[in-house]
Amino acid sequence: MNLNKAPLCQAPDRVLRRPDLLLPLGATDCHAHICGPESSFPYFSERIYTPPDALLPDYFNLLTHLGVERAVLVQPSIYGTDNRAMLAALKAFPKKLRGVAVVDSAITDAEIEALHQAGVRGLRCNIVDLADVTGQLPMAMLRGLAQRIAPFGWHLEFLMHVDAFPQLSNDFHDFPVEIVIGHFGYVKASLGIANAGFQNLCAMMREGRAWVKFTGTYRISEQAAPPYSDVNPFAQALIKANPQQIVWGTDWPHVMVKGLMPNDADLCDLLGNWIQEPALLTQILVSNPERLYDFK
């Protein structure tokens, strides 16, 4: 525990290995976090975990071993709405990186414009924390935020358990921007793909109204180590629903993993369990990220 009583996280596996799966040119990691250095970018005092520093040089070294060329940095909750650590990385590598920021409703149009110029292409909303006691989404706030970012072509990314929102399609009817859901919908594998919330998400994907990130396999699996085969049906169902609405990410540095810390090469090789066609792998790892994150 640190002075803020936010529990310390495991560090990622520092062993660098090349995956067995050969990734296509232009492969993009669409979900990773830069944490620190804490001495330069202090963590949010109300955070619920404390990671060891996970810095850009270490992350780029990992990407080189995995065969990944571009990346999307997502603002971690340890920083609240202080996006400086992420923005510093975007400034250093503007062609290689894009960002997903966290802001509050008081943000000005000029500040949104500045984030766009810096390489931000979406906003993250943690619905796991924001949902009220009745289980309702704060739709008025979300719709207002979406209307503000729509002129920039941004999306809203949600960390949410879709099984808790079986009427997701109705909640986001006629929403002003595209939505992106992380961690396969964040449904525990034990609930199965017949779960109403997950099926609702698949329906939204078929309609082109939602994207899904193939991230955090270990966060929904009931298995302690790769290959997390109980997640395979979810991956296959989402691919069947609409492969044009899927992106992939490492979720590095894998904050708050309670059990065995997986190696990133093994996580990368999970793609081979879900995708056998080279053209489909290129679509999910290259073409889809180019479209969603505006890589030139």
Side-chain angles (χ1 to χ4, degrees):
M1 304 288 281
N2 64 5
L3 294 177
N4 295 307
K5 300 191 182 302
L8 297 172
C9 291
Q10 292 187 70
D13 188 340
R14 302 294 187 184
V15 176
L16 296 177
R17 295 193 285 105
R18 296 190 183 278
D20 294 330
L21 181 67
L22 181 63
L23 302 188
L25 294 177
T28 308
D29 176 2
C30 293
H31 195 94
H33 310 291
I34 298 301
C35 305
E38 188 177 5
S39 58
S40 300
F41 303 107
Y43 299 146
F44 183 45
S45 61
E46 298 180 24
R47 66 190 180 278
I48 61 173
Y49 65 89
T50 301
D53 281 353
L55 306 180
L56 193 61
D58 295 324
Y59 177 54
F60 276 177
N61 197 16
L62 170 67
L63 295 188
T64 298
H65 280 76
L66 297 181
V68 174
E69 297 183 24
R70 304 177 300 198
V72 179
L73 302 180
V74 178
Q75 172 78 342
S77 63
I78 54 169
Y79 283 124
T81 59
D82 180 358
N83 295 282
R84 288 180 299 156
M86 180 189 68
L87 292 174
L90 298 186
K91 183 178 181 179
F93 297 92
K95 294 183 179 181
K96 189 181 182 72
L97 299 175
R98 293 288 183 269
V100 177
V102 173
V103 303
D104 59 39
S105 58
I107 190 171
T108 66
D109 290 342
E111 289 169 330
I112 295 175
E113 171 69 32
L115 289 174
H116 186 81
Q117 293 302 322
V120 171
R121 292 299 180 266
L123 296 180
R124 190 188 198 198
C125 301
N126 192 336
I127 300 303
V128 172
D129 295 332
L130 290 178
D132 64 27
V133 294
T134 63
Q136 299 299 310
L137 291 165
M139 291 308 303
M141 181 274 288
L142 293 173
R143 190 171 291 274
L145 192 58
Q147 289 169 342
R148 301 278 307 284
I149 66 174
F152 296 90
W154 290 11
H155 61 271
L156 282 181
E157 176 179 331
F158 294 94
L159 181 63
M160 63 187 301
H161 303 290
V162 297
D163 54 287
F165 301 97
Q167 301 301 318
L168 195 67
S169 182
N170 290 338
D171 291 331
F172 285 96
H173 175 69
D174 197 27
F175 202 63
V177 299
E178 294 182 289
I179 68 170
V180 180
I181 309 293
H183 305 339
F184 301 84
Y186 219 168
V187 179
K188 284 296 184 184
S190 58
L191 294 177
I193 64 172
N195 175 267
F198 181 76
Q199 286 299 316
N200 204 260
L201 175 60
C202 289
M204 292 180 68
M205 290 182 66
R206 286 192 291 271
E207 297 166 4
R209 296 170 51 208
W211 292 71
V212 169
K213 286 185 170 184
F214 278 13
T215 56
T217 314
Y218 47 84
R219 300 191 188 278
I220 67 172
S221 176
E222 301 293 334
Q223 300 172 2
Y228 309 120
S229 57
D230 55 345
V231 178
N232 292 353
F234 291 85
Q236 296 301 333
L238 294 167
I239 291 171
K240 182 178 180 181
N242 192 343
Q244 296 183 9
Q245 300 289 114
I246 296 170
V247 292
W248 166 83
T250 60
D251 198 23
W252 189 88
H254 317 295
V255 298
M256 296 186 70
V257 171
K258 302 287 195 300
L260 176 69
M261 177 62 69
N263 184 274
D264 282 279
D266 294 330
L267 294 176
C268 192
D269 280 332
L270 297 180
L271 283 164
N273 297 335
W274 310 324
I275 306 166
Q276 284 75 48
E277 301 83 2
L280 181 57
L281 189 66
T282 298
Q283 180 177 12
I284 291 174
L285 295 187
V286 183
S287 304
N288 291 352
E290 286 178 348
R291 180 161 52 98
L292 181 60
Y293 297 104
D294 189 31
F295 280 104
K296 302 298 185 183

